[in-house]
Amino acid sequence: MSKVEDFLTKEEEQEIVEAIRVAEKNTSGEIRVHLEKKTSIDAFERAMEVFHLLKMDETELKNGVLIYLAVKDKTFVICGDKGINDVVPNDFWDCTRDVMVKNFKEGNYKQGLVEGIQRAGEQLQKYFPFQEGDKNELSNEISKDEL
């Protein structure tokens, strides 16, 4: 795959955006997906850079979750802000990653992302339920970087 745009179809992207919308409906938490071709640094370090670039560290309750993928490198990272990392079980991100990897190995990238988003949404709802007056602080759109 030569370009990030080839990773998902427009329809698959819209299904992922819808999964984010549905997952965020019952929580004050925020979920973002970021795709880029490759990274020249450690994937976790890059994911943290993107986390800050997307201003995910500026949510009121520090409960943002980023799913970062470097598609050509075939690597991804799930990272949460301090608010959620302080309350979810230690193995939470590992369990979410495993569900996604299973789908990715079968070439089901959209489904892997959707299931990862759903799991993140369930945890966010459990620990950060929707409160009257909550607003969507961050875009649900998939962000991309061609690098």
Side-chain angles (χ1 to χ4, degrees):
M1 153 180 359
S2 58
K3 295 184 352 186
V4 170
E5 277 76 24
D6 299 335
F7 184 65
L8 299 166
T9 67
K10 291 286 183 215
E11 293 78 20
E12 289 172 330
E13 285 189 22
Q14 286 312 305
E15 289 179 57
I16 291 165
V17 170
E18 178 64 10
I20 292 170
R21 189 191 67 74
V22 169
E24 289 182 352
K25 192 165 59 172
N26 298 310
T27 178
S28 62
E30 297 288 336
I31 302 169
R32 295 287 315 258
V33 173
H34 180 81
L35 304 176
E36 58 189 27
K37 187 174 179 179
K38 60 187 177 126
T39 179
S40 58
I41 61 174
D42 175 75
F44 182 78
E45 286 179 42
R46 178 62 183 148
M48 294 311 298
E49 283 182 4
V50 170
F51 196 89
H52 296 291
L53 288 169
L54 295 176
K55 301 188 182 318
M56 295 190 68
D57 54 339
E58 296 179 16
T59 61
E60 185 177 347
L61 298 176
K62 303 295 182 202
N63 57 357
V65 175
L66 174 66
I67 301 175
Y68 164 86
L69 290 88
V71 297
K72 189 173 183 186
D73 295 340
K74 296 186 177 176
T75 188
F76 74 99
V77 174
I78 307 164
C79 53
D81 208 347
K82 181 177 177 14
I84 189 164
N85 283 338
D86 286 349
V87 296
V88 295
N90 289 338
D91 68 343
F92 171 70
W93 300 121
D94 295 336
C95 297
T96 304
R97 180 198 63 221
D98 293 345
V99 166
M100 293 174 68
V101 166
K102 179 182 176 293
N103 281 288
F104 288 176
K105 284 185 176 178
E106 297 168 358
N108 298 326
Y109 302 109
K110 184 226 26 156
Q111 190 58 36
L113 285 165
V114 167
E115 289 184 26
I117 290 163
Q118 289 169 339
R119 286 185 60 92
E122 289 164 8
Q123 289 299 309
L124 285 168
Q125 180 180 353
K126 185 175 175 183
Y127 295 105
F128 298 96
F130 181 83
Q131 303 289 326
E132 190 64 40
D134 279 346
K135 64 181 191 303
N136 191 4
E137 296 180 77
L138 300 171
S139 170
N140 295 342
E141 295 299 314
I142 297 171
S143 59
K144 297 177 186 174
D145 192 345
E146 278 297 332
L147 289 186

